[in-house]
Amino acid sequence: MSESRVIDQSSGVLEVHTGVAGRSARLGHRLVLAPTTWRVSVEIDGDRPVSIAVTVDAASLEVVSGEGGLTPLSAPERAVATANAHRSLKVKANPSIEYRSASIEPTENGFRVQGELTICGTTKPCDFALLYQDAEPAPALSVAVPVRQTDFGIKPFSLMMGTLQVADEVTVVARATT
């Protein structure tokens, strides 16, 4: 018998970790962005997931922290970086980021998930390892998925005539207890 479970901002963590690139990379901050509105719907048959659907409100992404750079990331810089992220993602035209699994297979330490990711209206295959860890008070699931912005038609944000830019590859990190 199949059952549905929902994971969202009240029961899990979803973050996007960026890097910096370019000749002036040491000047930039490695950012962590987190959406305030997102939802993962998981269909479970017995003790194994059979489908996963993720929806993220792209306009709810906010820069929550930054490391590196010459000075600590200030609140005004966080606000500017958040606005730049929204502009890069074209959130007015593309209000949601979505993932839909096509298959989920058990592995030694979790599951291999294959599916499609849609960002900025572009859909691409996206496969990842969903790690399962027996923990108290409940088992934990975690994932780290590298995503290349240019694969989805996103031009990584840059400054100083391109000598400082957000790295093309970002990492989506999610954790939740079941």
Side-chain angles (χ1 to χ4, degrees), residues 98-99 115-119 122-127 150-153:
E98 298 181 351
Y99 180 83
E116 293 186 326
L117 177 62
T118 302
I119 304 173
T122 299
T123 302
K124 296 281 184 181
C126 181
D127 305 343
T150 53
D151 288 350
F152 294 90

Side-chain angles (χ1 to χ4, degrees), residues 4-177:
S4 296
R5 293 197 188 155
V6 173
I7 302 166
D8 62 16
Q9 57 279 352
S10 67
S11 55
V13 173
L14 180 62
E15 299 174 333
V16 178
H17 294 248
T18 72
V20 289
R23 288 194 322 255
S24 301
R26 65 182 175 78
L27 302 175
H29 295 95
R30 293 177 308 281
L31 303 174
V32 175
L33 295 92
T36 57
T37 307
W38 57 276
R39 177 185 174 96
V40 179
S41 298
V42 183
E43 286 294 320
I44 299 173
D45 188 3
D47 61 351
R48 98 177 253 249
V50 292
S51 75
I52 298 173
V54 180
T55 303
V56 176
D57 176 1
S60 78
L61 271 170
E62 297 178 353
V63 173
V64 294
S65 67
E67 293 182 0
L70 294 178
T71 60
L73 186 67
S74 68
E77 288 171 318
R78 256 195 328 273
V80 168
T82 295
N84 290 335
H86 291 180
R87 199 167 18 266
S88 293
L89 289 169
K90 303 174 187 108
V91 299
K92 287 183 181 165
N94 304 287
S96 65
I97 298 168
E98 298 181 351
Y99 180 83
R100 301 286 178 263
S101 66
S103 69
I104 302 174
E105 297 299 325
T107 63
E108 185 177 308
N109 58 351
F111 302 92
R112 182 84 197 141
V113 182
Q114 296 180 318
E116 293 186 326
L117 177 62
T118 302
I119 304 173
C120 286
T122 299
T123 302
K124 296 281 184 181
C126 181
D127 305 343
F128 56 87
L130 178 61
L131 302 177
Y132 176 89
Q133 184 179 23
D134 229 349
E136 291 298 329
L141 299 170
S142 64
V143 64
V145 182
V147 175
R148 290 185 98 59
Q149 297 180 77
T150 53
D151 288 350
F152 294 90
I154 301 167
K155 183 177 189 260
F157 181 77
S158 67
L159 293 167
M160 300 169 23
M161 299 189 320
T163 63
L164 175 61
Q165 56 191 277
V166 173
D168 188 15
E169 186 173 282
V170 300
T171 302
V172 178
V173 176
R175 296 179 300 279
T177 54

